[in-house]
Amino acid sequence: MSNERRLGRLTSLLRRRGIILPSYEIYGGVSGLIDYGPVGARIKRRVIDVWIDHWTSVGNVVEVDSPTITPEPVLVASGHVDEFNDHMSECGACGAVFRSDHLLEGLNPNPNSLEASDLDDKIADSAITCPSCGGFEWKGASPMNLMFPTRIGAKRGGRMAYMRPETAQGMFMLYPALFRHFRQRLPFGAIQTGKAYRNEISPRQGMIRLREFNMAELEYFIDPDELPNPDLGRWDSSVSLLPDPEGPHAGEHSMTFGEALGSGIVKHPTVAWFLALTWDFLVDVGVDPERIRFRQHASTEMAHYASDCWDCELNGEHGWVEAVGIANRTCHDLLSHQEHSGSKLLRGWRQFDSPRTETMEVLTPNGAVIGPTFKGDASAVADALSELTDVPDSLPFILTLADGTNVEVTEEMVTRRVEKVTVHGEYFTPHVIEPAFGIDRIIWHILDHSYSETEKEGKGYTILSLKQDVAPFDVVILPLFDKDGMGELARQISSRVSSMPGIHGDLDVSRSIGRRYARADEIGVPWAITVDHASLEDGTVTVRRRDDQTQVRAEVESLLSHLSSGTIGELF
RNA sequence: GCGAGUGUAGUGUAGCGGUUAUCACCCCACGUUGCCAACGUGGGAACCCGGGUUCAAAUCCCGGCACUCGCACCA
């Protein structure tokens, strides 16, 4: 079976069986948008459920949910409005499109900060020709915003907004509530799953680059001065790491997460811990461990907010694809939101082990002199004195007020004193470690890695070996024939299975038994229960295991209890 | 966004100016069948969208949309 067509056959299967399909197909389809069909939606739901369980079980992580519509100022503060507004120049001769600032690379100190007209002028002044055809017929530079703009409010007065390009900002907005929820004690984290939107120029590769996609992000807030000491010993197998190609460890390494942290390749212990937890999650949902690797961003490709960034890449039909990004965003976001919004709630409190007594020299203003001397400015002078950190050794001296004016402060105006203050702690801006998961890309690789084309009695046979946790159905119930009461018994069992919490069963009565096994194998149902003639007499059924197609006979009651406890495997 | 190629039932395809639009899988009903895509009979389902050329268009031309590949883009 030819390997280059495997991608096509897998895509056909996904469409045929209602897993992944193009959106709005009867209207011609829209590039970059996909539907999860009846089977795919179930897989997606379960992948997300596993993800939420995985992170909330860390303990100090809670789930939140915030809007996808985001007011512009939030995204100005986060840097997305600038970062997503690259100007593009189009060659009028050959139609090629380039980033305007890339054309000016090396000719202008900071081309990224220029307006469209400035860019056009610079390109004209520098006589830059089209790298593609050598022509000189540039059309005007125009901004290409990768966010979907919208307005909040009807008619003209609406506020400018964008569909969120990531879920993270919503969690930063909730920081004050989280800080209260966790009783003002770091570290803690918030997770959120949901849609994010990026108006990609040309989405390609099926569900790898989408315009509307499913993200799952954790923002984990830490005190940068407290380095945790996570126990990485339980991850004892080696993983593939590709450190910064411009750094001292360039090249591919195979080592444990503990070794990666110990050697300094991974800089922060929390980052190392999250790399390990990410690996666990991916393996749990059925990604092939041999096709996972972690790649560190070079400092030149780092996102605008990150100080250390690792991509978790998965290998499949589209090559190595970034599926998870784990970034140390430091205090960038909270600090920027603090500056833009003026809020003082975006900080943590660091309690000292024991209160510190600090003695400091202060100059206490002498109102009787300052008042008459400075009149209206007197209170500004008093304020400036109280904020003085370095008290001058000698008087008089020149004091700079908040509005920038300088005044002379003489001996009579102040009293020099030594003050003792007891400080119990200090405010700081927490740092954020963010694992961001592209759910669609992960689902793609689960499907890719689970899809196997085998032979059965000389004919091609397809199995999707999904883990039970992410399979669309836990079990399919099949009467051997839909007659003699076998169909009725199967329906009874099916309705009992359906009432079991967290268990999904499917009933299939049409066509031959072999065909129904094949249909179930093709969408990854791990177990099949068959009701046959013996079932009518002694209350037993057969249980078939998808992965090796073996069957055992079991009592219905015992089978159902194994099903609810997730231990069907013990029957074999 | 540019260039090239490709769009036919749910899937894979044949047809390349005039066919009742081919074949297979598929799906449904009935029959048959004592466990792995069995069989019989009957049935269902398609020319991407819009314009043009022509007596006649799935077929030729133009535009749009989508997919694949290359270039560019991918915070």
Side-chain angles (χ1 to χ4, degrees), chain A residues 470-487:
Chain A
V470 299
F473 299 102
D474 297 272
V475 63
V476 60
I477 296 130
L478 313 166
L480 187 57
F481 302 106
D482 191 6
K483 64 172 191 185
D484 302 338
M486 286 181 275

Side-chain angles (χ1 to χ4, degrees), chain A residues 119-291:
Chain A
L119 286 163
D120 290 339
D121 292 348
K122 298 275 181 196
I123 288 172
D125 291 350
S126 311
I128 290 172
T129 52
C130 173
S132 177
C133 69
F136 186 71
E137 295 177 37
W138 295 109
K139 297 183 181 172
S142 58
M144 187 191 57
N145 196 324
L146 290 182
M147 293 191 291
F148 286 95
T150 186
R151 288 199 160 265
I152 303 173
K155 303 219 174 157
R156 254 174 291 174
R159 281 177 86 183
M160 185 65 202
Y162 297 97
M163 304 305 289
R164 66 183 177 195
E166 59 176 16
T167 68
Q169 298 308 321
M171 292 182 270
F172 298 135
M173 296 301 101
L174 281 168
Y175 175 84
L178 292 162
F179 190 54
R180 259 179 276 128
H181 176 84
F182 284 104
R183 301 188 177 80
Q184 312 193 359
R185 191 166 304 160
L186 292 155
F188 57 75
I191 55 172
Q192 173 163 214
T193 65
K195 293 290 183 82
Y197 303 82
R198 293 176 196 181
N199 203 355
E200 298 281 356
I201 301 166
S202 83
R204 289 270 176 92
Q205 300 176 303
M207 57 192 294
I208 299 298
R209 270 176 74 199
L210 296 172
R211 291 188 161 125
E212 170 172 338
F213 54 102
N214 293 281
M215 287 190 98
E217 295 187 294
L218 162 64
E219 306 302 322
Y220 194 73
F221 299 95
I222 59 169
D223 179 344
D225 282 4
E226 260 177 47
L227 287 186
N229 191 12
D231 178 15
L232 298 176
R234 94 183 152 83
W235 290 275
D236 52 8
S237 52
S238 291
V239 295
S240 170
L241 297 177
L242 290 165
D244 180 356
E246 293 157 20
H249 302 283
E252 184 158 6
H253 298 258
S254 178
M255 57 174 69
T256 66
F257 292 109
E259 288 161 354
L261 179 62
S263 63
I265 288 177
V266 178
K267 293 171 194 155
H268 197 283
T270 303
V271 173
W273 182 42
F274 286 170
L275 292 177
L277 286 173
T278 296
W279 196 83
D280 273 359
F281 166 75
L282 292 171
V283 173
D284 281 355
V285 291
V287 174
D288 177 0
E290 298 298 315
R291 289 190 267 178

